[in-house]
Amino acid sequence: MSDTLYERLGGESGLSSIVRDVITNHMNNPTIKTRFQDSDTDKLHRLSLEFFGMGSGGPQKYTGKDMKEAHRGMNISEEEFLAVVDDVMLALDKNNIAADARNEVLGILHSLKRDVIRL
């Protein structure tokens, strides 16, 4: 398979749509919506697009904080982490992302767990 994960996610336009759906899912998810209710959604979209773009092999350069710094002091629970993962998976499904790419994203998300939970 020669296509990068970024390409399999639809490049910038596909990833932008996925990120928009993830943010919408977060805003409507009763487990985590309070964490996002006062967010600057334009900034959240931009940083998420940079993060996922760079992390999936795209040309973006991530300009935000590293995961530990971004989540330090938030005391995010396992339940909240799993709610975020579920929201991402729902967005991938909505955008008709193939199973191999969804599984790769799931692996990446779980690799970030220790940099997000209970900091």
Side-chain angles (χ1 to χ4, degrees):
M1 180 182 314
S2 61
D3 288 344
T4 63
L5 178 58
Y6 180 74
E7 292 164 331
R8 290 181 285 136
L9 294 173
E12 181 154 4
S13 65
L15 200 51
S16 183
S17 179
I18 292 166
V19 167
R20 193 170 33 258
D21 290 338
V22 168
I23 292 169
T24 298
N25 292 348
H26 289 351
M27 297 292 191
N28 293 309
N29 186 325
T31 302
I32 58 173
K33 68 182 183 181
T34 57
R35 297 254 190 205
F36 293 91
Q37 66 188 9
D38 295 326
S39 297
D40 176 344
T41 54
D42 289 336
K43 180 179 179 184
L44 184 59
H45 184 272
R46 178 180 54 79
L47 290 173
S48 297
L49 184 58
E50 289 174 4
F51 183 79
F52 287 115
M54 188 174 95
S56 63
Q60 292 82 358
K61 300 293 182 228
Y62 179 61
T63 60
K65 299 174 182 176
D66 70 39
M67 288 298 98
K68 281 186 178 179
E69 186 180 344
H71 297 94
R72 190 174 319 282
M74 295 178 71
N75 197 28
I76 293 171
S77 70
E78 174 93 15
E79 179 184 19
E80 290 172 309
F81 178 81
L82 292 175
V84 167
V85 170
D86 288 346
D87 286 350
V88 172
M89 299 314 289
L90 286 170
L92 295 175
D93 287 342
K94 180 180 178 188
N95 286 274
N96 300 310
I97 301 302
D100 66 323
R102 287 194 319 262
N103 289 336
E104 197 169 335
V105 170
L106 183 61
I108 292 167
L109 291 172
H110 279 284
S111 76
L112 299 171
K113 184 177 177 179
R114 70 176 167 262
D115 293 338
V116 174
I117 289 184
R118 307 243 181 260
L119 298 177

